[in-house]
Amino acid sequence: MQDVLKRPDIPACLRICAGTDGSITQLLEVLTGKSVKVETISQSVVKASPRIAGLLDIEPGDDVNDRLVTLKVDDIVYVLAKSLAPISRIPGGIRDDLMRADIPIGRILREHKLETRRDILNIRIVHRDFFGELPVLSREYKIIYENKVLMWINECFPVDGRWGK
Amino acid sequence: MQDVLKRPDIPACLRICAGTDGSITQLLEVLTGKSVKVETISQSVVKASPRIAGLLDIEPGDDVNDRLVTLKVDDIVYVLAKSLAPISRIPGGIRDDLMRADIPIGRILREHKLETRRDILNIRIVHRDFFGELPVLSREYKIIYENKVLMWINECFPVDGRWGK
């Protein structure tokens, strides 16, 4: 287990949310007892830079869906999530859902009955201007589908009392 | 979301563990900061009864691996888990691991890089002699692999202070 997930100064519910290999939206809804709302900050199709191509195991210049959203409950931001998905790997039936920005990814995978796995790459404490002076727990992971990277995701969680104690 | 997961008298960390569609072992290890130990109560290969055949979508009489284990941290039982897996559907490479009783299922799936999904069937409060007079949160779910039931699982969680508040 990553050392950061053992830190007693990080609320247990946040450590659990950051450590799961399942849907984060689902855990947030259980934690708060309410529906999670996805709000888009930006969404566009970009050409993969060499760095992005490396993350996704595609060719530089390939089309990638680049999405930045927040997950909110009652106007409180719990997660800032950036995702990169190679357009050509998104199964036709879920492309519209995945490129719309207002449906949580876990829910899309579940509703379309996709079999996947999530490989957590790293978890660490970072700074993000979005959250001001708060410490931020960041994790990167890949969603793997048919042995290829369907999506690279970076989730950032503000570390404070919104997660309980 | 199932109503039982909204009950404020159930500790938040337990509600989250019971609501995940990811690995429960991983969440337990994050919650406690320690390794989870699997202890076998029983393991045997049985012929599917009509009821079991229905759960697994197989023929009555087919061979099924029937396993009952506890997940413990520091000798405290967090989960009593029963699983049923049709032998013919277990991929050859993981059969030995799955039929040995001392490796958590989530870890086996992860190490063998299986792409799966978990469909939660129900979550409710029950009684189990194993936990004496404590209320018990029980959930049933299926692990789906290649569009078939790889495993039916019933996990029982004692509802008390071991999960925090």
Side-chain angles (χ1 to χ4, degrees):
Chain A
M1 194 197 319
Q2 288 84 354
D3 281 344
V4 69
L5 293 182
K6 294 185 179 175
R7 280 177 49 168
D9 56 321
I10 300 178
C13 288
L14 169 52
R15 286 186 283 118
I16 291 177
C17 286
T20 186
D21 61 351
S23 160
I24 186 76
T25 311
Q26 196 160 328
L27 296 196
L28 261 181
E29 295 193 334
V30 173
L31 174 65
T32 62
K34 297 178 179 177
S35 286
V36 165
K37 199 173 148 197
V38 177
E39 270 192 13
T40 312
I41 297 174
S42 64
Q43 185 269 326
S44 60
V45 176
V46 301
K47 299 286 179 194
S49 66
R51 192 186 73 87
I52 290 177
L55 286 176
L56 299 174
D57 199 17
I58 56 176
E59 296 297 322
D62 285 358
D63 283 337
V64 169
N65 192 46
D66 181 333
R67 210 181 156 194
L68 183 67
V69 304
T70 56
L71 304 186
K72 283 184 174 182
V73 177
D74 284 346
D75 287 329
I76 297 170
V77 175
Y78 282 81
V79 187
L80 174 70
K82 182 178 174 67
S83 65
L84 299 169
I87 301 281
S88 65
R89 286 195 191 144
I90 306 175
I94 72 168
R95 200 166 295 181
D96 287 349
D97 279 356
L98 262 189
M99 294 188 60
R100 277 173 57 195
D102 57 345
I103 310 178
I105 288 156
R107 194 176 300 155
I108 296 171
L109 300 180
R110 194 161 62 246
E111 284 177 3
H112 290 273
K113 299 184 182 300
L114 257 64
E115 297 170 11
T116 58
R117 65 173 213 272
R118 295 179 192 222
D119 287 351
I120 298 179
L121 304 172
N122 61 61
I123 307 182
R124 53 194 167 186
I125 298 288
V126 300
H127 172 86
R128 287 284 181 278
D129 287 339
F130 183 89
F131 291 111
E133 292 305 310
L134 286 178
V136 169
L137 189 59
S138 158
R139 68 168 186 167
E140 292 179 46
Y141 63 97
K142 293 177 181 179
I143 298 181
I144 308 290
Y145 175 65
E146 294 183 340
N147 277 314
K148 294 189 176 127
V149 183
L150 176 63
M151 198 170 281
W152 172 93
I153 297 177
N154 173 221
E155 289 166 344
C156 289
F157 310 88
V159 182
D160 71 1
R162 74 192 78 186
W163 301 90
K165 288 187 182 162
Chain B
M1 193 197 318
Q2 288 85 354
D3 281 345
V4 68
L5 292 182
K6 294 185 180 176
R7 281 178 48 168
D9 55 322
I10 300 177
C13 288
L14 169 52
R15 286 186 282 119
I16 291 177
C17 286
T20 185
D21 61 351
S23 160
I24 187 76
T25 312
Q26 197 160 329
L27 297 196
L28 261 181
E29 295 192 334
V30 173
L31 174 66
T32 61
K34 298 178 177 176
S35 286
V36 165
K37 199 173 149 197
V38 177
E39 269 192 16
T40 311
I41 296 174
S42 65
Q43 185 268 327
S44 61
V45 176
V46 301
K47 300 287 179 192
S49 66
R51 192 187 72 87
I52 290 177
L55 286 177
L56 299 174
D57 199 18
I58 57 176
E59 296 297 322
D62 285 358
D63 283 337
V64 169
N65 192 46
D66 180 334
R67 212 182 155 192
L68 183 66
V69 304
T70 56
L71 304 187
K72 283 185 174 181
V73 177
D74 283 346
D75 287 331
I76 297 169
V77 175
Y78 283 81
V79 187
L80 174 69
K82 181 178 175 69
S83 64
L84 298 168
I87 301 281
S88 65
R89 287 195 190 143
I90 306 176
I94 72 168
R95 199 166 296 182
D96 287 350
D97 280 355
L98 262 190
M99 295 188 60
R100 278 172 57 196
D102 58 344
I103 311 178
I105 288 157
R107 193 176 300 156
I108 296 171
L109 300 181
R110 195 160 62 245
E111 283 177 4
H112 291 273
K113 299 185 182 299
L114 257 64
E115 298 170 11
T116 59
R117 65 172 213 271
R118 295 179 192 222
D119 287 351
I120 298 179
L121 304 173
N122 61 61
I123 307 181
R124 53 195 166 185
I125 298 289
V126 299
H127 173 86
R128 287 286 181 278
D129 287 338
F130 184 90
F131 291 112
E133 293 305 310
L134 285 179
V136 169
L137 189 60
S138 158
R139 68 167 186 167
E140 293 179 45
Y141 63 96
K142 293 177 180 178
I143 298 180
I144 308 290
Y145 174 65
E146 294 183 341
N147 277 315
K148 295 190 175 126
V149 183
L150 176 63
M151 197 171 282
W152 171 93
I153 297 176
N154 173 221
E155 288 166 344
C156 289
F157 310 88
V159 181
D160 71 359
R162 74 192 77 186
W163 301 91
K165 288 189 182 159

